Amino acid sequence: MSRVHVAITHQAKPGQEAQYEAALREFARESLHEPGTAGVLLLAPVPGTHGCEYGILRSFEDQASCDAFYQSDRFRNFHELTKPLVVEEATRRKLHGLEAFFRDPKLSPPRWKMAAITWLGVYPSVLFWGKVLPPALDSLHSLLATAVTTIFVTITLAWLVMPILSKIFAAWLHPPNAANVPILGEALSDQPPR
């Protein structure tokens, strides 16, 4: 069973940013120990900007844990508490494909590692579809044939090759010493901020 990654974004009302951020931090800390939670990462506007969009990226061990969390009292209470602090309903979406494979709740790998793993997936996919498809696409213009080939390569990467490679190279991408979960630029733990 593969992990489930969900992104939720909120637009804080002008003047309510600090109160919303405090509630979000508290909610993240309290919910770290919910059954099936694999990690939490909070996103905030860059300090000194006028942005007011906040995000929470949450990973679960499986879909059942994800469903249970979003139907829990803890989540409903947070939603009710912050309703007066946000502009509108939150936007929630599952992260799929390449956007989720490199997102570890503990630490994202360096870009060069992501590039290396991506190349390991792209190269055989292009070789395979570059050999298999051209005979069937002879009647098409070369630009259209290339477009069809790249569609097959992309689908193969997103749903087959990258999930396999991210599991094979998980220890290399996410070394075990990367134990802190960032939260708005701080390590997320049960300890109060210093």
Side-chain angles (χ1 to χ4, degrees), residues 93-124:
R93 67 185 179 96
K94 264 185 161 178
L95 302 178
H96 296 285
L98 300 178
E99 66 182 339
F101 297 132
F102 289 122
R103 199 206 131 306
D104 185 274
K106 296 181 182 166
L107 185 69
S108 294
R111 285 183 189 230
W112 71 269
K113 286 186 177 184
M114 291 191 283
I117 299 300
T118 301
W119 179 83
L120 284 175
V122 169
Y123 185 70

Side-chain angles (χ1 to χ4, degrees), residues 21 25 44 54 57 69 82-83 104 108 124-125 139 145 186 194:
E21 186 174 317
R25 284 174 183 257
Y54 291 82
L57 307 178
F69 177 77
T82 58
K83 202 183 269 190
D104 185 274
S108 294
S125 300
S139 62
E186 297 177 1
R194 295 179 193 159

Side-chain angles (χ1 to χ4, degrees), residues 10-13 16 20 79 82-90:
H10 267 127
Q11 224 34 45
K13 287 181 180 175
Q16 300 295 324
Y20 178 76
H79 179 71
T82 58
K83 202 183 269 190
L85 306 174
V86 296
V87 175
E88 56 191 33
E89 287 292 316

